Amino acid sequence: MSKRVLTSTYWSMGMLTCLAIYLAAEWNVVAFPHWFANVSGLFFIILLFLLAVWYGAATFHNFRHPTDRVPLILLPPELREEDEGMKFFSYKACRAVYVYYFFSFPVLIVSALLFEMNRDVLLLSLLVLFLGQFLTYQLAVRNLLKGGDDD
């Protein structure tokens, strides 16, 4: 796999989605159909599989390209800028993420207070916000790479 594929945020998004679905099913937070209880463990296995594939591919890439190494931890994309152009894109995308959190955290807090969310629903809500962060960042970078600008 190429370095671009290995450092993509889609790995983190996929793993976090599997974890969120598994926890939602295990904690009975969401009313899944009865057959889903038998399948929920599959999402944990998929999570472990994605982690193993990513780690193996990153190790193999580092062995084949010792001068162009991939860190063996899943870093957020904001910390992976490689040149001045990517620093600018990261700046703009982080700004979009901060705006996203500026509006989403108050909505989550008010929802938690009004609807008296239990701990499990609140945790899953934070996982959904985290997925939204990845999506917001990725869409902002994609927009900037295509030549668009939000200012």
Side-chain angles (χ1 to χ4, degrees):
M1 279 188 220
S2 70
K3 184 175 182 178
R4 182 175 180 194
V5 171
L6 287 171
T7 57
S8 170
T9 58
Y10 295 120
W11 287 98
S12 299
M13 285 177 65
M15 288 183 221
L16 189 63
T17 302
C18 288
L19 180 65
I21 292 171
Y22 171 73
L23 291 177
E26 287 298 309
W27 292 341
N28 296 321
V29 174
V30 180
F32 287 113
H34 68 330
W35 57 267
F36 193 79
N38 301 330
V39 182
S40 66
L42 180 64
F43 284 97
F44 188 70
I45 293 170
I46 292 171
L47 169 67
L48 294 177
F49 176 75
L50 286 174
L51 191 58
V53 166
W54 180 86
Y55 186 78
T59 303
F60 183 71
H61 178 273
N62 290 344
F63 177 74
R64 292 199 59 201
H65 306 282
T67 58
D68 191 24
R69 299 179 66 82
V70 173
L72 292 180
I73 56 173
L74 290 171
L75 291 173
E78 303 89 65
L79 301 178
R80 282 191 245 124
E81 60 245 347
E82 297 169 358
D83 58 9
E84 289 300 318
M86 281 309 293
K87 285 183 181 181
F88 175 74
F89 289 159
S90 291
Y91 162 74
K92 290 288 206 176
C94 284
R95 204 168 136 214
V97 170
Y98 294 145
V99 169
Y100 164 78
Y101 275 134
F102 180 79
F103 290 107
S104 62
F105 272 137
V107 169
L108 178 63
I109 291 169
V110 169
S111 299
L113 292 174
L114 289 178
F115 301 115
E116 297 178 11
M117 291 183 187
N118 65 17
R119 176 186 58 111
D120 301 334
V121 174
L122 192 56
L123 178 63
L124 286 174
S125 300
L126 288 173
L127 287 172
V128 168
L129 286 181
F130 191 52
L131 283 173
Q133 170 194 337
F134 280 124
L135 190 61
T136 303
Y137 183 87
Q138 200 67 21
L139 291 175
V141 168
R142 176 184 282 171
N143 184 33
L144 289 166
L145 287 174
K146 286 184 177 179
D149 194 1
D150 59 349
D151 285 342

